[in-house]
Amino acid sequence: QVQLVESGGGLVQAGGSLRLSCTASGTIVSPNVMGWYRQAPGKQRELVADITNRGITTYADAVQGRFTISRDNAKNTVSLQMNSLRPDDTAVYYCNCKGGVAVESFFNSWGQGTQVTVSS
């Protein structure tokens, strides 16, 4: 199975930047999507951004223009550059990888999460 490990979270002041990284290990079946989700206290987990193995990206409206997702297929890593951070970006950020060519082989893996706190 795919294992995901995140790093790069921390405490930053509003307007600052952080870069999250996620490294995947194990067998990753194509097609696949790697991305970042976040969950704030009292709120549901939500998609932040994701990117397919072909480089197609999707961003949540709340982060459009501020965050940039990228991946390195050779290294099996995905990163999230977060700029102009706001207090409402505060959440636990989870790396995700899902995919498969058919329902029988579909997978959905999650990292352990990394805390991002943005102070006002």
Side-chain angles (χ1 to χ4, degrees):
Q1 187 54 270
V2 176
Q3 294 83 43
L4 304 173
V5 179
E6 304 104 330
S7 63
L11 174 64
V12 66
Q13 292 185 335
S17 299
L18 284 173
R19 185 176 179 87
L20 306 181
S21 296
C22 174
T23 300
S25 62
T27 302
I28 303 178
V29 177
S30 295
N32 63 75
V33 182
M34 299 187 73
W36 293 91
Y37 291 71
R38 67 186 182 187
Q39 188 165 24
K43 303 192 70 174
Q44 294 183 335
R45 187 177 299 181
E46 64 178 2
L47 173 70
V48 178
D50 63 26
I51 180 169
T52 74
N53 57 290
R54 299 182 64 181
I56 301 172
T57 59
T58 299
Y59 293 94
D61 290 341
V63 307
Q64 182 71 47
R66 300 187 297 120
F67 293 7
T68 302
I69 190 169
S70 61
R71 66 185 289 171
D72 186 332
N73 292 334
K75 297 181 178 180
N76 288 330
T77 60
V78 61
S79 298
L80 185 70
Q81 179 66 46
M82 305 185 294
N83 298 326
S84 302
L85 283 162
R86 305 166 180 166
D88 58 3
D89 292 319
T90 296
V92 177
Y93 284 69
Y94 296 91
C95 182
N96 173 258
C97 183
K98 65 185 72 174
V101 71
V103 64
E104 294 84 5
S105 60
F106 197 81
F107 70 96
N108 189 357
S109 298
W110 295 89
Q112 80 284 356
T114 184
Q115 177 71 47
V116 172
T117 302
V118 184
S119 62
S120 61

